């Protein structure tokens, strides 16, 4: 495999420390002297995990980052304490809570919240995938995907970065590039001619040449003249797309591109010419409605700002000692200070939100500006960049509820020494289906496999799920289950089988799954099920819900 280029595909950060003060001194590597080294290393670990689809062994992380094994161990221990990663033996996995960093950027941006419903409706109408993308230096990064469920899937993941010249949105964003931006693009092309640093696209078989550069310049000129752009199999054979810019009403400048909407298909359904003649008019109409949405929606009323977000780090340092890198944890907490109603913050506001000293917050912001995760729209304010999505969001954006629940089921099983499972209601509402399962080592155990179906009303998880269904509220026994928050079934489905279940609720409060444990009746009395097992199930359900709510804020989390 060719070596990964050392040049950053997204380019070097602009000069300055983002505080309105004179930039601090820089070392021989160009890193500001005030930058937080543990934070830089922690970001490197998260990016390597992201580019490896969310999982790497500790030894692989050591090789990929060039860090000492002891440093990798301390970084992963800190990230695990934050619930940003999960360490399973020798392997490190990204965890759903890490998505709160990308959520901070997306909620501050507001575009997914305002425009995703119209993108979804357009995808339904055209029966094609629709995406929204923003500019990320000389690349594009996806902020929303409305995917068609087909055997041949064409969508990228939210947060994926693509080179501008191999996409339909790229020429549209390039119409706003300065001479410096064009030079940066040419420098990146020269350093990475095969696009090896863009892991979301297949690498070029051969390096790009001057003709490719001229072709992209021509495409940008055509996009400026036409107001739309095409991708005719530039990413890979068979993939085609048409794009239209969504203009921003901010600052009274209707020329600024807020994002680009694209319809994506493949040549067995549409040629590029067919996309332009058949689907482009409808895409333009949808974009007009998106722009109206941006114009008529006022900024949200500022809510109470967060405070003392980093207060917990001191306790963690006391408990874990040198294995907990407090400067890394504090630095990552700075990103969560941003959000809806808080798209731009001053240094004072960041310090107040995190509870950090101004000097500590300032060093974290200097580090982030160097890494390209923060920029300064004005001399005194900071804002997050799309590059925040590079911290785990793409692989985690495809996480399912069973994947979210599995490690929590393992922890629960190890504590109560009983098998545990996750179940959902079938489309008919008459059966449940088990979607995740962890067994315990006993001679006599309950035999249930993932995919097993059972009659809903005869099972504890089924009754928990039915109790939240409006048409079943008056069914015998279900009202009390809904009010008490659990179901306990004693030897109704099978002699000797006792089962306890609690609900799993989505962000809206709707019950979408049930967490269940089942055992032989001789092992726990009915009273013990309520006094001993129920609190364990309830606390586990809360943790699963927390991860689900984080993961589903801007993505769709499949239940199976």
């Amino acid at each position: 495999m060719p070596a990964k280029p050392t040049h950053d595909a997204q380019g070097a950060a602009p000069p300055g420390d983002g505080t309105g003060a004179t930039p601090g001194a820089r070392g021989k590597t160009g890193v500001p002297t005030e930058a937080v080294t543990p934070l830089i290393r922690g970001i490197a670990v998260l990016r390597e995990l992201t580019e490896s689809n969310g999982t790497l062994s500790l030894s692989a992380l050591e090789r990929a980052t060039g860090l000492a094994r002891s440093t990798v161990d301390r970084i992963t221990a800190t990230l695990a304490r934050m619930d940003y990663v999960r360490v399973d033996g020798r392997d490190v996995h990204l965890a759903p809570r890490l998505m709160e960093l990308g959520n901070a950027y997306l909620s501050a941006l507001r575009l997914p919240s305002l425009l995703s419903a119209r993108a979804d409706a357009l995808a339904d109408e055209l029966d094609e995938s629709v995406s929204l993308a923003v500019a990320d230096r000389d690349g594009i990064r996806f902020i929303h995907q409305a995917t068609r469920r087909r055997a041949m899937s064409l969508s990228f993941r939210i947060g994926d970065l693509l080179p501008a010249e191999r996409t339909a949105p790229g020429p549209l964003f390039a119409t706003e590039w300065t001479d410096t931006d064009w030079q940066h693009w040419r420098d990146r092309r020269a350093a990475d001619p095969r696009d090896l640093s863009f892991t979301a696209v297949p690498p070029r078989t051969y390096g790009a040449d001057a003709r490719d550069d001229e072709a992209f310049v021509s495409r940008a000129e055509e996009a400026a003249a036409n107001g739309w752009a095409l991708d005719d199999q530039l990413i890979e054979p068979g993939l085609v797309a048409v794009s239209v810019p969504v203009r921003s009403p901010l600052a009274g400048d209707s020329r600024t591109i807020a994002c680009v909407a694209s319809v994506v298909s493949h040549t067995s359904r549409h040629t590029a010419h067919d996309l332009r003649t058949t689907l482009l008019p409808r895409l333009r109409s949808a974009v007009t409605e998106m722009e109206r949405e941006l114009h008529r929606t006022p900024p949200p009323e500022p809510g109470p700002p967060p405070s003392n977000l980093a207060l917990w780090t001191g306790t963690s340092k006391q408990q874990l000692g040198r294995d907990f890198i407090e400067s890394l944890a504090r630095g990552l907490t700075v990103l969560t200070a941003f959000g809806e109603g808080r798209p731009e913050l001053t240094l004072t506001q960041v310090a107040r939100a995190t509870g950090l000293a101004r000097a500590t917050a300032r060093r974290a912001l200097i580090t982030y500006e160097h890494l390209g995760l923060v920029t300064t729209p004005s001399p005194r304010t900071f804002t997050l960049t799309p590059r925040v999505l590079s911290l785990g969001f793409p692989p985690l954006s495809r996480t399912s509820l069973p994947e979210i629940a599995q490690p929590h089921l393992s922890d629960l099983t190890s504590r109560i020494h009983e098998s545990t499972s996750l179940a959902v209601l079938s489309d008919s509402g008459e059966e449940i289906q088990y979607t995740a399962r962890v067994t315990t080592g006993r001679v006599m155990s309950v035999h249930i496999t993932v995919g097993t179906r059972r009659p809903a009303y005869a099972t504890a998880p089924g009754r928990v799920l039915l109790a939240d269904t409006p048409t079943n509220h008056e069914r015998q026994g279900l009202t009390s289950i809904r009010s008490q928050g659990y179901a306990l079934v004693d030897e109704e489905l099978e002699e000797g089988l006792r089962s306890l279940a609690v609900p799993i609720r989505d962000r809206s409060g709707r019950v979408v799954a049930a967490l269940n444990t089942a055992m032989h009746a001789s092992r726990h009395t009915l009273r013990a099920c309520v006094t001993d097992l129920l609190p364990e199930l309830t606390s586990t359900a809360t943790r699963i819900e927390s991860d689900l709510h984080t993961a589903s804020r801007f993505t769709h989390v499949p239940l199976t």
Side-chain angles (χ1 to χ4, degrees), residues 385-424:
T385 74
R387 200 182 298 193
V388 174
L389 294 174
S390 70
L391 305 180
F393 214 89
L396 291 172
S397 69
R398 294 288 176 87
T399 301
S400 67
L401 179 55
E403 291 171 326
I404 290 173
Q406 195 70 34
H408 296 289
L409 294 184
S410 297
D411 290 343
L412 175 61
T413 295
S414 69
R415 294 198 305 273
I416 66 175
H417 307 292
E418 299 290 354
S419 298
T420 58
S421 58
L422 190 78
V424 298

Side-chain angles (χ1 to χ4, degrees), residues 303-309 336-339 342 345 349-355:
S307 61
N308 293 323
L309 291 172
T336 64
F338 297 84
R342 305 187 306 278
L345 298 177
Q349 289 171 326
V350 171
R352 185 181 301 122
T354 56

Side-chain angles (χ1 to χ4, degrees), residues 2 142 154-157 160-163 165-167 188-189 192-208 231 233-239:
F142 293 106
L154 295 175
S155 71
F156 289 91
R157 304 167 302 182
D160 272 336
L161 178 72
L162 278 64
E165 67 275 8
R166 293 178 65 181
T167 68
R188 187 264 295 168
R189 296 269 286 167
D192 184 19
R194 293 188 57 203
D195 295 336
L196 297 178
S197 52
F198 291 90
T199 56
V201 297
R204 293 177 183 270
T205 304
Y206 304 100
D231 166 10
Q233 308 179 76
L234 295 171
I235 294 176
E236 64 181 20
L239 189 150

Side-chain angles (χ1 to χ4, degrees), residues 86 399-413 418-425 432-440 446-454 461 465 499-502 504 512-518 537 540 544 557-560:
R86 177 172 53 88
T399 301
S400 67
L401 179 55
E403 291 171 326
I404 290 173
Q406 195 70 34
H408 296 289
L409 294 184
S410 297
D411 290 343
L412 175 61
T413 295
E418 299 290 354
S419 298
T420 58
S421 58
L422 190 78
V424 298
L425 201 62
I432 60 165
Q433 180 179 7
Y434 291 94
T435 58
R437 175 81 170 157
V438 174
T439 60
T440 187
V446 180
H447 180 66
I448 299 173
T449 58
V450 172
T452 296
R453 290 175 179 260
R454 292 283 189 267
L465 290 160
S499 179
L500 177 68
V502 296
I504 302 293
V512 294
L515 173 62
N516 167 243
T517 185
L537 263 70
T540 299
I544 293 174
V557 177
L559 300 182
T560 59

Side-chain angles (χ1 to χ4, degrees), residues 155-410:
S155 71
F156 289 91
R157 304 167 302 182
I158 296 176
D160 272 336
L161 178 72
L162 278 64
E165 67 275 8
R166 293 178 65 181
T167 68
L172 293 165
F173 287 123
T175 62
E176 298 183 336
W177 285 1
T178 64
D179 290 343
T180 301
D181 295 328
W182 279 104
Q183 186 58 52
H184 171 84
W185 171 74
R186 291 187 175 91
D187 292 343
R188 187 264 295 168
R189 296 269 286 167
D192 184 19
R194 293 188 57 203
D195 295 336
L196 297 178
S197 52
F198 291 90
T199 56
V201 297
R204 293 177 183 270
T205 304
Y206 304 100
D209 57 26
R211 289 174 299 178
D212 295 315
D213 290 358
E214 293 171 1
F216 181 61
V217 172
S218 297
R219 291 178 62 217
E221 292 172 350
E222 292 172 0
N226 298 332
W228 52 267
L230 285 175
D231 166 10
D232 189 359
Q233 308 179 76
L234 295 171
I235 294 176
E236 64 181 20
L239 189 150
V240 291
V242 61
S243 297
V244 172
V246 181
R247 306 282 179 178
S248 172
L250 300 179
D253 186 359
S254 61
R255 298 172 297 169
T256 301
I257 298 176
C259 66
V260 168
S262 304
V263 177
V264 186
S265 188
H266 57 83
T267 52
S268 297
R269 293 176 59 82
H270 295 280
T271 64
H273 179 267
D274 192 30
L275 282 182
R276 180 175 63 82
T277 57
T278 305
L279 302 186
L280 177 59
R282 186 61 196 94
L283 173 60
R284 277 179 153 166
S285 177
V287 165
T288 298
E289 291 301 315
M290 291 180 184
E291 291 175 341
R292 288 174 181 165
E293 190 73 33
L294 294 182
H295 277 268
R296 64 174 169 245
T297 305
E301 290 293 330
S307 61
N308 293 323
L309 291 172
L311 189 63
W312 60 274
T313 60
T315 302
S316 296
K317 182 64 175 178
Q318 291 178 352
Q319 293 174 348
L320 296 184
R322 71 178 307 275
D323 287 337
F324 184 78
I325 307 175
E326 191 170 11
S327 58
L328 169 58
R330 286 176 168 179
L332 289 172
T333 303
V334 164
L335 296 178
T336 64
F338 297 84
E340 185 174 5
R342 305 187 306 278
E344 295 183 17
L345 298 177
T346 64
L347 174 59
T348 299
Q349 289 171 326
V350 171
R352 185 181 301 122
T354 56
L356 300 175
R358 279 174 56 92
T360 303
R362 179 178 182 274
R363 290 190 65 199
L365 291 166
I366 289 172
T367 306
Y368 284 137
E369 188 172 14
H370 166 70
L371 296 173
L373 297 166
V374 161
T375 190
T376 51
S378 71
R380 297 181 59 84
T381 62
F382 307 87
T383 188
L384 301 181
T385 74
R387 200 182 298 193
V388 174
L389 294 174
S390 70
L391 305 180
F393 214 89
L396 291 172
S397 69
R398 294 288 176 87
T399 301
S400 67
L401 179 55
E403 291 171 326
I404 290 173
Q406 195 70 34
H408 296 289
L409 294 184
S410 297

Side-chain angles (χ1 to χ4, degrees), residues 164 300 375 427 445:
T375 190
D427 291 338
S445 61

